[in-house]
Amino acid sequence: MNQIKNIRQMEQKLQRADRRQSRLYLFCNFMALMIISAYSALMLSPTVQRVFPEGGDSRKQMYMIFVMTLVGCVIFTIYALGLFFRHKAGQLGILMALGASRRRLAPGLFREVIVLSGISAVVGTIAGFPFVWMIWQIFRLILVDSSDMVLSFDFRCLFISLLFLLLVVGFACLTAWRYLKKTNIMEVIREEHINEPVKELGRWCGPVGLLLILAGAVLGYGAPVACDAWFFISVPEWVSILYAPVFVGLYMVMLHTVVYGWKSHKKNPYKNIISRSMMKFQGKQTVNNLLVITLLIAGGCFAIFYLPTNSISALLRYASQSYDYFYQYQADQAVPDRETVEALGKDYGLTFRDWNECEYITLGIGGLSKIYEEDDVRYHVEYVPMQGETRVLSEDAYRILTGQEVDVKPGTYLNITNQEESALYTNEAAREFTNMVTRKQIATTFAGYLHYDLLAKEIPCCILDNEDYAGISEGLTDEWRGQFVEFNVDGKDSYPFANAFYHLFVSSFDENCARPFYYDRVQKIRENEAGMEYWVDTDDMVTISYEFPDSFMFRQFWVYQPDFRILSQNDYLRNVAVLFMMFLFVFIVCMITALVVCYTRCQSIALNNRYIFDDLKKLGASPAFLDKEVRIQCSNVFKVPSLVGMFAMFFLFTMILYANDGRILKAEWAAMGVCLCIIALIGGVIYAVYRSTVKVIKGQLGV
Amino acid sequence: MLYVKELYKSYEAGKNKYEVLKGVDFHVAQGEFVAVMGPSGSGKTTLLNCISCYIPFDKGNIKLGGMELAGMNEDDLAKVRNTKIGFVFQDFMLLDGLTIRENILVPRIVQGEVEAEAEKLADQLAAMFGISHILNKYPAEISGGEKQRAAVARSLINNPLIILADEPTGNLDSKSSRAVIETFNNAKEQMNATIFMVTHDSFAASFCDRVILLKDGTIYRQLEKWENRSVFHEQLLDAMKEH
């Protein structure tokens, strides 16, 4: 056996002996850096940046979840570092007690800390890239592949990783320095056994916490709506602080979990008293950890719930589409006519039936607008003539298209909405329609709704009396006229035909039509005439380019995007792939982080309480009793944050769906059902990890 | 050898301040085996930790081998701990990753290179305390009594002026306790070691030359052993009953 001759050799031997502790720290650091590096690489990747509209909600959500993950990872690494040092402190303390000066111990300690943190952080940062690339390729291989999904990196993301890396190494050195600076050696020696009891608030804190969560959610979500509806105030973003009770409530719920648990044992108050006390005496760290785990699980659920809530309504809408093919175009565009389409259909062995087409015109329509005061917060609602554009059909045209007989009284108009009357873009306030070429106007009043899903789109659609229509359309140029076309396939439809027709259709448009659906020509004219610049002209949120007719951007935002059922159904996943993959990735990252925090928390419970378990064994505790004690502790770490995180997010989504239009639609019920299934699946995974964690901890405690 | 004069130490917990040592005065002569006894919270361990320079004290003087400890800088205090004091703790404080031989040599390793003379001394101490057979084992592989004897051997490896022992028998059964106390006696007799021990155990204290009784941070009595050990033990028990 080689005899140790000096302090360097002793440190090396001690480090070898501490491999298990070091491995845990290395693993946590590596994971945190890999997750940050992978997330930032993906988030800043040109592939993702192209798909998430600048300033859009989805991009904000992506950044928000990134910040949440970042905070989670910071807490996670600090916690892992704390665990590592708590163990290391025992050694340091003994060496100090035996006369090793801080100056003598410092080089070895800093060397160890820098090597461990540095290596794990650098390797984690680098590993983030192949990790994200591998996941992305698996997505492409298993789920969907599209030209949108060629993953490219913007290596500016390395700055974020580098910053985090420096933070990790810096914090590790700071912690080492803090331990070395301690003047009370006994404190250093006893560090491993220091308890952090949590302040008990009383049994009311759990239920009050739940109420606060509910109140915060309702207040945070409802206050802006109420301000808008009652006080005509558009609330600034800082009003989000009203969500604060949610976090206070979460803390109280976790505190209650740690101190009292959720089962009352009135008949047997001593039941679980040991496991409860063990948790209580590590209370501060445990409560903090449970909070982080809850937030991570909630973040993961937020990301994964996004998928069904967004996809199910789209897929149901495609399935219930009344015609296989529906499209529209501006009259000045050389779009393939019926003969050309039928000839193309023949090439694919298709014949068509129910061919309907009719003319529509685009007019300026008056409506109510929010007019903001100088402070940009308060506003009043005012009627604005030529507020925006609307598509207008005559009674005859509507009958041709839908087969529905309709009688519109002269001087009135009917709005078109969908069957569930959930269409957002309808206008009940118009007093006149304006011909944008001659500026002729007709006075109108709203007279009710008609239902036709294919016309209930982002641009409002109205029906006028035949004579009113003829009068107002006089003098309109082709730029303001258009055609609706719909038909069915006789027999089984063909995706290759739909695809070929789609590309032919897109290629027939000129640059004047390369605009997103929210580009309102009437509003532009009105603002330009008032000497203002139209905001979309200076905004590059969405760029429509005919070069990429299959891109997510194009299909999502092009104003003349057709509804070809088979194309929409088959390409749905491909169109939203990047968006979905990003959310799926966020989900994976949040869940992995949450599970690793759960695992390490259980590890620290084992580390801190191993003496208690030894004592319990000496006192004759049966293996079954010890087994139960371990399971209770671990299950508290896994169970409560998982349940709270998952169901809080489920509740939030339900609230959002309800708040959209004051009810929950059929597709939304279905989406919520899928969300519940996802919760069950996540629960299963968490349970499996819990079981294996219990097994590992029992092994470590010799139970 | 060891002079403690007017030693004060207090702790702050929140807004409250607790005076633990309130002007403690005593001295220990070369080759003397002294115990400090007293009820829980009387300040025994705090007294030991102040003498060990593990925790700073508020007021007073501690002189060890003619050196004044108050006002020494960190490096000098470390040197004192390493060369002038040997430590024995209640929970042994052996490094789990090192063998018993390496643990015994730790104070020497901390000084610099370990020379053959130190290794020879480690073997001699091990033989003296009956732990030669476990020198290549790790702490996890030996009994509590063996660990504590190894800790005593470690405390003597630098030939210190004094051995400070904090409840050295606290974690041991009676047989192991006796073996450890005999180890101290061996050290005293064969190496003229000075031992200052804090203990709850009147039986262990009865092996000492003198016992200092502490209560509420002050020394209320000192008993010297004039008779045989069992008589001294009775005296100790009576003195403790009185208070």
Side-chain angles (χ1 to χ4, degrees):
Chain A
M1 189 177 287
N2 289 334
Q3 184 66 55
I4 289 171
K5 295 285 183 194
N6 54 43
I7 198 160
R8 176 92 185 96
Q9 288 171 0
M10 181 181 72
E11 283 164 356
Q12 283 170 344
K13 186 164 184 188
L14 288 173
Q15 284 162 17
R16 278 198 300 275
D18 287 342
R19 262 179 306 203
R20 210 177 73 189
Q21 288 301 321
S22 307
R23 268 206 301 264
L24 183 69
Y25 176 57
L26 280 171
F27 173 70
C28 292
N29 245 355
F30 170 81
M31 284 296 295
L33 261 299
M34 189 176 79
I35 284 166
I36 294 299
S37 161
Y39 198 136
S40 51
L42 196 58
M43 186 176 71
L44 298 179
S45 132
T47 316
V48 171
Q49 291 281 316
R50 251 198 323 270
V51 170
F52 285 73
E54 203 172 322
D57 281 350
S58 47
R59 191 180 280 210
K60 280 182 194 160
Q61 285 160 3
M62 179 175 75
Y63 289 147
M64 191 188 77
I65 297 177
F66 175 69
V67 171
M68 213 161 74
T69 312
L70 197 68
V71 171
C73 285
V74 168
I75 293 172
F76 175 46
T77 38
I78 289 174
Y79 172 63
L81 190 69
L83 268 186
F84 174 74
F85 267 102
R86 285 188 88 166
H87 176 78
K88 199 80 200 158
Q91 271 176 18
L92 279 177
I94 292 172
L95 291 172
M96 284 179 185
L98 296 177
S101 66
R102 290 168 173 86
R103 199 182 301 210
R104 193 132 175 78
L105 291 172
L109 184 64
F110 281 117
R111 197 182 307 121
E112 184 179 4
V113 162
I114 290 172
V115 166
L116 285 179
S117 323
I119 288 180
S120 57
V122 169
V123 175
T125 303
I126 295 167
F129 290 91
F131 174 66
V132 72
W133 185 85
M134 193 181 71
I135 289 186
W136 201 256
Q137 296 313 315
I138 291 172
F139 287 160
R140 291 183 72 176
L141 195 71
I142 298 173
L143 293 174
V144 63
D145 197 5
S146 75
S147 56
D148 272 349
M149 288 193 67
V150 177
L151 186 64
S152 53
F153 292 120
D154 179 342
F155 283 94
R156 275 179 302 177
C157 65
L158 276 173
F159 283 114
I160 296 178
S161 307
L162 191 71
L163 220 67
F164 194 74
L165 188 149
L166 291 176
L167 184 84
V168 165
V169 178
F171 193 77
C173 290
L174 193 74
T175 312
W177 184 74
R178 196 170 64 85
Y179 273 91
L180 285 173
K181 283 296 281 182
K182 280 191 180 174
T183 51
N184 189 332
I185 293 175
M186 292 318 288
E187 247 180 48
V188 182
I189 292 176
R190 305 284 174 209
E191 178 78 22
E192 202 177 344
H193 311 298
I194 286 175
N195 289 322
E196 297 170 313
V198 73
K199 200 179 171 189
E200 296 180 27
L201 289 176
R203 281 197 169 271
W204 51 267
C205 89
V208 169
L210 286 173
L211 283 177
L212 279 176
I213 293 175
L214 197 71
V218 172
L219 211 61
Y221 199 83
V225 178
C227 280
D228 192 59
W230 298 335
F231 307 112
F232 300 106
I233 290 173
S234 184
V235 293
E237 287 188 356
W238 60 260
V239 169
S240 306
I241 201 155
L242 289 171
Y243 280 110
V246 170
F247 298 98
V248 178
L250 266 179
Y251 183 82
M252 289 170 79
V253 167
M254 296 308 150
L255 195 65
H256 189 97
T257 306
V258 168
V259 177
Y260 304 109
W262 290 91
K263 282 182 191 164
S264 87
H265 300 292
K266 279 184 186 162
K267 282 184 186 167
N268 183 3
Y270 297 106
K271 197 172 180 190
N272 300 340
I273 195 168
I274 292 173
S275 54
R276 179 73 42 228
S277 303
M278 279 194 246
M279 285 206 90
K280 239 191 269 187
F281 283 102
Q282 301 298 328
K284 272 187 195 163
Q285 277 286 358
T286 309
V287 172
N288 292 344
N289 273 251
L290 296 191
L291 259 180
V292 171
I293 298 164
T294 308
L295 292 177
L296 284 168
I297 289 179
C301 287
F302 179 85
I304 197 77
F305 288 172
Y306 184 89
L307 310 188
T309 44
N310 277 272
S311 58
I312 287 178
S313 59
L315 291 172
L316 287 177
R317 195 173 65 244
Y318 300 146
S320 63
Q321 193 172 304
S322 49
Y323 282 83
D324 293 336
Y325 290 81
F326 178 88
Y327 58 93
Q328 57 192 297
Y329 56 89
Q330 217 167 274
D332 58 357
Q333 303 299 303
V335 170
D337 59 11
R338 181 173 180 173
E339 275 176 27
T340 315
V341 177
E342 284 178 338
L344 183 67
K346 259 186 201 159
D347 292 346
Y348 290 90
L350 298 179
T351 54
F352 307 124
R353 58 181 170 81
D354 312 324
W355 188 288
N356 303 316
E357 56 184 293
C358 69
E359 189 207 52
Y360 73 85
I361 54 173
T362 301
L363 299 176
I365 186 174
L368 298 174
S369 266
K370 285 180 180 176
I371 310 293
Y372 281 90
E373 312 289 327
E374 277 180 8
D375 59 6
D376 252 2
V377 174
R378 282 171 301 157
Y379 67 87
H380 63 275
V381 177
E382 197 176 285
Y383 183 80
V384 177
M386 292 204 315
Q387 186 208 32
E389 66 178 63
T390 184
R391 296 199 169 143
V392 180
L393 283 84
S394 67
E395 293 163 299
D396 288 344
Y398 185 73
R399 195 190 63 247
I400 291 168
L401 204 63
T402 65
Q404 299 171 25
E405 286 298 337
V406 59
D407 180 25
V408 185
K409 289 193 177 115
T412 67
Y413 72 96
L414 296 174
N415 261 334
I416 295 175
T417 184
N418 56 14
Q419 294 296 336
E420 286 190 306
E421 296 197 343
S422 61
L424 295 174
Y425 304 94
T426 55
N427 185 344
E428 299 175 6
R431 295 178 200 158
E432 82 291 308
F433 285 94
T434 307
N435 179 320
M436 296 307 293
V437 178
T438 63
R439 297 300 170 98
K440 184 184 168 186
Q441 292 191 329
I442 52 161
T444 58
T445 50
F446 172 66
Y449 283 106
L450 290 170
H451 300 90
Y452 196 65
D453 286 8
L454 286 168
L455 290 175
K457 294 290 189 73
E458 290 83 4
I459 298 174
C461 197
C462 304
I463 313 295
L464 285 180
D465 166 66
N466 281 339
E467 278 180 27
D468 282 352
Y469 180 87
I472 192 74
S473 63
E474 260 176 41
L476 272 179
T477 56
D478 281 353
E479 191 190 349
W480 297 95
R481 290 175 183 277
Q483 201 76 8
F484 284 123
V485 181
E486 61 188 14
F487 62 87
N488 281 320
V489 172
D490 210 0
K492 197 166 178 270
D493 201 357
S494 150
Y495 174 78
F497 163 73
N499 198 34
F501 179 32
Y502 172 69
H503 285 94
L504 182 67
F505 178 77
V506 173
S507 63
S508 65
F509 280 79
D510 66 22
E511 282 303 315
N512 290 329
C513 294
R515 56 179 193 266
F517 64 75
Y518 57 82
Y519 191 101
D520 193 314
R521 289 178 293 164
V522 172
Q523 197 182 343
K524 174 188 163 65
I525 290 170
R526 177 167 53 83
E527 289 190 0
N528 286 167
E529 284 175 355
M532 293 188 291
E533 200 164 22
Y534 180 45
W535 70 274
V536 187
D537 284 337
T538 54
D539 182 87
D540 53 0
M541 185 168 95
V542 170
T543 313
I544 300 294
S545 165
Y546 294 130
E547 278 180 50
F548 307 106
D550 291 326
S551 71
F552 168 79
M553 264 316 173
F554 191 89
R555 291 195 175 189
Q556 190 80 1
F557 290 100
W558 187 39
V559 65
Y560 293 110
Q561 180 62 26
D563 294 304
F564 296 172
R565 188 206 315 269
I566 195 166
L567 190 79
S568 306
Q569 284 176 329
N570 283 26
D571 289 355
Y572 176 74
L573 203 54
R574 202 184 68 173
N575 293 337
V576 293
V578 175
L579 198 74
F580 275 29
M581 292 311 131
M582 185 68 204
F583 279 103
L584 206 54
F585 182 79
V586 168
F587 165 71
I588 292 171
V589 161
C590 286
M591 290 312 290
I592 289 177
T593 316
L595 291 174
V596 173
V597 178
C598 282
Y599 178 79
T600 47
R601 182 68 232 167
C602 291
Q603 282 271 343
S604 85
I605 286 173
L607 185 76
N608 290 328
N609 295 321
R610 64 175 188 270
Y611 300 104
I612 298 172
F613 279 95
D614 285 344
D615 289 345
L616 286 171
K617 275 185 239 170
K618 283 176 196 162
L619 289 169
S622 68
F625 177 83
L626 295 172
D627 177 84
K628 194 185 81 182
E629 293 303 310
V630 175
R631 274 190 291 112
I632 289 174
Q633 304 246 347
C634 294
S635 84
N636 274 325
V637 173
F638 278 88
K639 197 167 65 184
V640 177
S642 306
L643 289 176
V644 174
M646 290 191 294
F647 284 101
M649 210 33 75
F650 183 76
F651 172 72
L652 181 73
F653 262 77
T654 310
M655 210 166 72
I656 291 171
L657 294 178
Y658 181 78
N660 279 341
D661 42 21
R663 65 208 162 117
I664 294 182
L665 306 174
K666 246 189 286 175
E668 291 168 344
W669 280 115
M672 282 166 58
V674 175
C675 288
L676 281 176
C677 295
I678 291 173
I679 285 180
L681 270 174
I682 298 172
V685 172
I686 293 173
Y687 182 69
V689 177
Y690 154 74
R691 287 292 296 263
S692 56
T693 305
V694 168
K695 205 171 159 190
V696 172
I697 303 296
K698 276 163 64 182
Q700 284 171 351
L701 292 171
V703 173
Chain B
M1 172 61 57
L2 171 69
Y3 288 89
V4 174
K5 198 168 168 54
E6 283 294 298
L7 190 68
Y8 285 86
K9 170 72 186 170
S10 58
Y11 290 110
E12 280 179 18
K15 287 174 187 170
N16 301 323
K17 192 173 178 182
Y18 301 99
E19 289 227 331
V20 184
L21 297 178
K22 302 167 188 170
V24 174
D25 268 312
F26 68 92
H27 85 276
V28 180
Q30 169 75 44
E32 203 179 3
F33 187 179
V34 177
V36 177
M37 289 188 75
S40 294
S42 58
K44 305 184 296 289
T45 300
T46 302
L47 173 64
L48 194 80
N49 287 339
C50 288
I51 299 168
S52 316
C53 329
Y54 290 164
I55 57 173
F57 49 90
D58 302 339
K59 217 162 63 174
N61 300 90
I62 300 174
K63 218 177 228 183
L64 181 65
M67 280 182 304
E68 180 61 65
L69 299 186
M72 273 191 176
N73 65 31
E74 279 297 323
D75 284 351
D76 289 341
L77 283 177
K79 206 168 177 183
V80 169
R81 280 197 294 267
N82 183 246
T83 56
K84 312 287 183 203
I85 307 174
F87 298 97
V88 179
F89 304 92
Q90 180 176 2
D91 40 9
F92 325 124
M93 299 272 183
L94 299 174
L95 291 164
D96 293 337
L98 304 182
T99 61
I100 297 304
R101 180 199 293 272
E102 288 161 346
N103 263 295
I104 294 172
L105 284 166
V106 165
R108 283 293 179 100
I109 294 170
V110 168
Q111 272 177 19
E113 287 292 316
V114 175
E115 286 162 9
E117 163 270 324
E119 289 177 13
K120 202 173 150 193
L121 179 59
D123 290 343
Q124 282 170 359
L125 288 169
M128 189 194 297
F129 302 140
I131 50 172
S132 297
H133 60 292
I134 53 161
L135 278 178
N136 289 324
K137 291 193 172 179
Y138 286 87
E141 299 167 338
I142 62 174
S143 71
E146 287 170 328
K147 280 181 197 170
Q148 200 58 298
R149 279 182 280 156
V152 178
R154 179 180 66 185
S155 71
L156 288 163
I157 192 75
N158 272 340
N159 195 19
L161 292 175
I162 191 166
I163 294 173
L164 301 177
D166 183 13
E167 302 274 10
T169 57
N171 270 346
L172 302 176
D173 56 42
S174 57
K175 195 178 159 197
S176 301
S177 295
R178 183 147 196 155
V180 168
I181 294 299
E182 275 167 8
T183 310
F184 281 132
N185 269 334
N186 281 348
K188 175 179 143 61
E189 281 160 19
Q190 293 180 32
M191 301 172 77
N192 196 27
T194 310
I195 302 157
F196 184 77
M197 174 176 77
V198 161
T199 185
H200 261 109
D201 181 356
S202 56
F203 176 75
S206 66
F207 285 84
C208 299
D209 303 321
R210 181 158 55 104
V211 174
I212 297 171
L213 295 172
L214 204 63
K215 192 180 177 188
D216 297 331
T218 50
I219 294 171
Y220 69 89
R221 195 164 171 188
Q222 295 197 42
L223 292 168
E224 286 195 48
K225 186 163 72 179
W226 300 111
E227 313 266 346
N228 66 34
R229 194 198 60 76
S230 15
V231 175
F232 188 48
H233 190 201
E234 290 298 321
Q235 284 176 339
L236 273 177
L237 290 172
D238 290 342
M240 285 161 73
K241 266 184 213 161
E242 280 172 27
H243 285 78

mmCIF file of all heavy atoms in Angstrom, chain A residues 669-689:
data_model
loop_
_atom_site.group_PDB
_atom_site.id
_atom_site.type_symbol
_atom_site.label_atom_id
_atom_site.label_comp_id
_atom_site.label_asym_id
_atom_site.label_seq_id
_atom_site.Cartn_x
_atom_site.Cartn_y
_atom_site.Cartn_z
ATOM 1 N N TRP A 669 -63.156 20.739 -24.784
ATOM 2 C CA TRP A 669 -63.421 19.622 -23.861
ATOM 3 C C TRP A 669 -62.516 18.451 -24.216
ATOM 4 O O TRP A 669 -61.919 17.809 -23.340
ATOM 5 C CB TRP A 669 -64.886 19.171 -23.938
ATOM 6 C CG TRP A 669 -65.829 20.041 -23.157
ATOM 7 C CD1 TRP A 669 -66.818 20.818 -23.659
ATOM 8 C CD2 TRP A 669 -65.873 20.217 -21.738
ATOM 9 N NE1 TRP A 669 -67.475 21.483 -22.663
ATOM 10 C CE2 TRP A 669 -66.917 21.134 -21.458
ATOM 11 C CE3 TRP A 669 -65.125 19.715 -20.677
ATOM 12 C CZ2 TRP A 669 -67.243 21.539 -20.177
ATOM 13 C CZ3 TRP A 669 -65.444 20.121 -19.382
ATOM 14 C CH2 TRP A 669 -66.493 21.022 -19.153
ATOM 15 N N ALA A 670 -62.429 18.184 -25.541
ATOM 16 C CA ALA A 670 -61.587 17.067 -25.993
ATOM 17 C C ALA A 670 -60.132 17.311 -25.601
ATOM 18 O O ALA A 670 -59.437 16.402 -25.115
ATOM 19 C CB ALA A 670 -61.714 16.907 -27.499
ATOM 20 N N ALA A 671 -59.681 18.569 -25.803
ATOM 21 C CA ALA A 671 -58.288 18.906 -25.468
ATOM 22 C C ALA A 671 -58.034 18.714 -23.978
ATOM 23 O O ALA A 671 -56.985 18.193 -23.571
ATOM 24 C CB ALA A 671 -58.002 20.347 -25.862
ATOM 25 N N MET A 672 -59.011 19.103 -23.174
ATOM 26 C CA MET A 672 -58.834 18.946 -21.719
ATOM 27 C C MET A 672 -58.767 17.468 -21.335
ATOM 28 O O MET A 672 -58.019 17.082 -20.431
ATOM 29 C CB MET A 672 -59.968 19.642 -20.977
ATOM 30 C CG MET A 672 -59.742 21.152 -20.926
ATOM 31 S SD MET A 672 -61.209 22.040 -20.441
ATOM 32 C CE MET A 672 -61.555 21.300 -18.877
ATOM 33 N N GLY A 673 -59.562 16.664 -22.060
ATOM 34 C CA GLY A 673 -59.499 15.215 -21.828
ATOM 35 C C GLY A 673 -58.109 14.685 -22.130
ATOM 36 O O GLY A 673 -57.547 13.881 -21.363
ATOM 37 N N VAL A 674 -57.541 15.156 -23.248
ATOM 38 C CA VAL A 674 -56.181 14.715 -23.613
ATOM 39 C C VAL A 674 -55.189 15.188 -22.547
ATOM 40 O O VAL A 674 -54.280 14.442 -22.166
ATOM 41 C CB VAL A 674 -55.800 15.249 -25.014
ATOM 42 C CG1 VAL A 674 -54.361 14.919 -25.348
ATOM 43 C CG2 VAL A 674 -56.734 14.675 -26.065
ATOM 44 N N CYS A 675 -55.393 16.424 -22.068
ATOM 45 C CA CYS A 675 -54.489 16.943 -21.017
ATOM 46 C C CYS A 675 -54.538 16.043 -19.777
ATOM 47 O O CYS A 675 -53.500 15.767 -19.158
ATOM 48 C CB CYS A 675 -54.870 18.370 -20.632
ATOM 49 S SG CYS A 675 -54.473 19.569 -21.895
ATOM 50 N N LEU A 676 -55.739 15.584 -19.440
ATOM 51 C CA LEU A 676 -55.858 14.685 -18.277
ATOM 52 C C LEU A 676 -55.107 13.383 -18.524
ATOM 53 O O LEU A 676 -54.461 12.840 -17.619
ATOM 54 C CB LEU A 676 -57.325 14.411 -17.976
ATOM 55 C CG LEU A 676 -58.063 15.518 -17.213
ATOM 56 C CD1 LEU A 676 -59.534 15.177 -17.050
ATOM 57 C CD2 LEU A 676 -57.438 15.740 -15.833
ATOM 58 N N CYS A 677 -55.200 12.876 -19.775
ATOM 59 C CA CYS A 677 -54.447 11.648 -20.100
ATOM 60 C C CYS A 677 -52.947 11.906 -19.969
ATOM 61 O O CYS A 677 -52.193 11.056 -19.480
ATOM 62 C CB CYS A 677 -54.757 11.190 -21.522
ATOM 63 S SG CYS A 677 -56.454 10.684 -21.714
ATOM 64 N N ILE A 678 -52.528 13.099 -20.425
ATOM 65 C CA ILE A 678 -51.099 13.442 -20.314
ATOM 66 C C ILE A 678 -50.694 13.484 -18.841
ATOM 67 O O ILE A 678 -49.624 12.988 -18.460
ATOM 68 C CB ILE A 678 -50.820 14.796 -21.002
ATOM 69 C CG1 ILE A 678 -50.994 14.652 -22.508
ATOM 70 C CG2 ILE A 678 -49.415 15.309 -20.682
ATOM 71 C CD1 ILE A 678 -50.906 15.953 -23.274
ATOM 72 N N ILE A 679 -51.569 14.053 -18.020
ATOM 73 C CA ILE A 679 -51.276 14.106 -16.574
ATOM 74 C C ILE A 679 -51.083 12.690 -16.035
ATOM 75 O O ILE A 679 -50.144 12.418 -15.272
ATOM 76 C CB ILE A 679 -52.423 14.827 -15.820
ATOM 77 C CG1 ILE A 679 -52.335 16.327 -16.071
ATOM 78 C CG2 ILE A 679 -52.378 14.536 -14.318
ATOM 79 C CD1 ILE A 679 -53.409 17.157 -15.393
ATOM 80 N N ALA A 680 -51.952 11.779 -16.488
ATOM 81 C CA ALA A 680 -51.848 10.382 -16.029
ATOM 82 C C ALA A 680 -50.509 9.782 -16.468
ATOM 83 O O ALA A 680 -49.827 9.094 -15.695
ATOM 84 C CB ALA A 680 -53.009 9.571 -16.575
ATOM 85 N N LEU A 681 -50.116 10.089 -17.710
ATOM 86 C CA LEU A 681 -48.842 9.562 -18.230
ATOM 87 C C LEU A 681 -47.657 10.129 -17.454
ATOM 88 O O LEU A 681 -46.754 9.385 -17.040
ATOM 89 C CB LEU A 681 -48.684 9.959 -19.695
ATOM 90 C CG LEU A 681 -49.243 8.980 -20.716
ATOM 91 C CD1 LEU A 681 -49.139 9.581 -22.113
ATOM 92 C CD2 LEU A 681 -48.458 7.673 -20.663
ATOM 93 N N ILE A 682 -47.675 11.443 -17.249
ATOM 94 C CA ILE A 682 -46.577 12.078 -16.495
ATOM 95 C C ILE A 682 -46.529 11.480 -15.086
ATOM 96 O O ILE A 682 -45.457 11.166 -14.559
ATOM 97 C CB ILE A 682 -46.773 13.614 -16.404
ATOM 98 C CG1 ILE A 682 -46.753 14.246 -17.788
ATOM 99 C CG2 ILE A 682 -45.683 14.250 -15.549
ATOM 100 C CD1 ILE A 682 -47.131 15.721 -17.789
ATOM 101 N N GLY A 683 -47.730 11.324 -14.507
ATOM 102 C CA GLY A 683 -47.814 10.730 -13.171
ATOM 103 C C GLY A 683 -47.150 9.356 -13.146
ATOM 104 O O GLY A 683 -46.420 9.023 -12.209
ATOM 105 N N GLY A 684 -47.382 8.584 -14.196
ATOM 106 C CA GLY A 684 -46.784 7.249 -14.290
ATOM 107 C C GLY A 684 -45.270 7.315 -14.313
ATOM 108 O O GLY A 684 -44.574 6.554 -13.621
ATOM 109 N N VAL A 685 -44.748 8.253 -15.104
ATOM 110 C CA VAL A 685 -43.282 8.400 -15.212
ATOM 111 C C VAL A 685 -42.708 8.835 -13.857
ATOM 112 O O VAL A 685 -41.708 8.282 -13.383
ATOM 113 C CB VAL A 685 -42.916 9.438 -16.308
ATOM 114 C CG1 VAL A 685 -41.424 9.741 -16.296
ATOM 115 C CG2 VAL A 685 -43.343 8.927 -17.674
ATOM 116 N N ILE A 686 -43.377 9.813 -13.237
ATOM 117 C CA ILE A 686 -42.887 10.301 -11.934
ATOM 118 C C ILE A 686 -42.909 9.161 -10.913
ATOM 119 O O ILE A 686 -41.968 8.990 -10.134
ATOM 120 C CB ILE A 686 -43.726 11.506 -11.448
ATOM 121 C CG1 ILE A 686 -43.492 12.701 -12.372
ATOM 122 C CG2 ILE A 686 -43.380 11.881 -10.008
ATOM 123 C CD1 ILE A 686 -44.371 13.896 -12.102
ATOM 124 N N TYR A 687 -43.968 8.359 -10.969
ATOM 125 C CA TYR A 687 -44.071 7.240 -10.029
ATOM 126 C C TYR A 687 -42.922 6.241 -10.243
ATOM 127 O O TYR A 687 -42.324 5.756 -9.275
ATOM 128 C CB TYR A 687 -45.419 6.546 -10.187
ATOM 129 C CG TYR A 687 -45.624 5.412 -9.208
ATOM 130 C CD1 TYR A 687 -45.792 5.679 -7.847
ATOM 131 C CD2 TYR A 687 -45.614 4.089 -9.628
ATOM 132 C CE1 TYR A 687 -45.951 4.646 -6.942
ATOM 133 C CE2 TYR A 687 -45.777 3.049 -8.723
ATOM 134 C CZ TYR A 687 -45.937 3.328 -7.376
ATOM 135 O OH TYR A 687 -46.089 2.313 -6.484
ATOM 136 N N ALA A 688 -42.604 5.983 -11.523
ATOM 137 C CA ALA A 688 -41.521 5.038 -11.817
ATOM 138 C C ALA A 688 -40.198 5.569 -11.266
ATOM 139 O O ALA A 688 -39.408 4.821 -10.662
ATOM 140 C CB ALA A 688 -41.425 4.812 -13.320
ATOM 141 N N VAL A 689 -39.961 6.880 -11.456
ATOM 142 C CA VAL A 689 -38.710 7.472 -10.945
ATOM 143 C C VAL A 689 -38.707 7.429 -9.414
ATOM 144 O O VAL A 689 -37.684 7.138 -8.791
ATOM 145 C CB VAL A 689 -38.540 8.927 -11.456
ATOM 146 C CG1 VAL A 689 -37.285 9.567 -10.879
ATOM 147 C CG2 VAL A 689 -38.476 8.956 -12.972
#
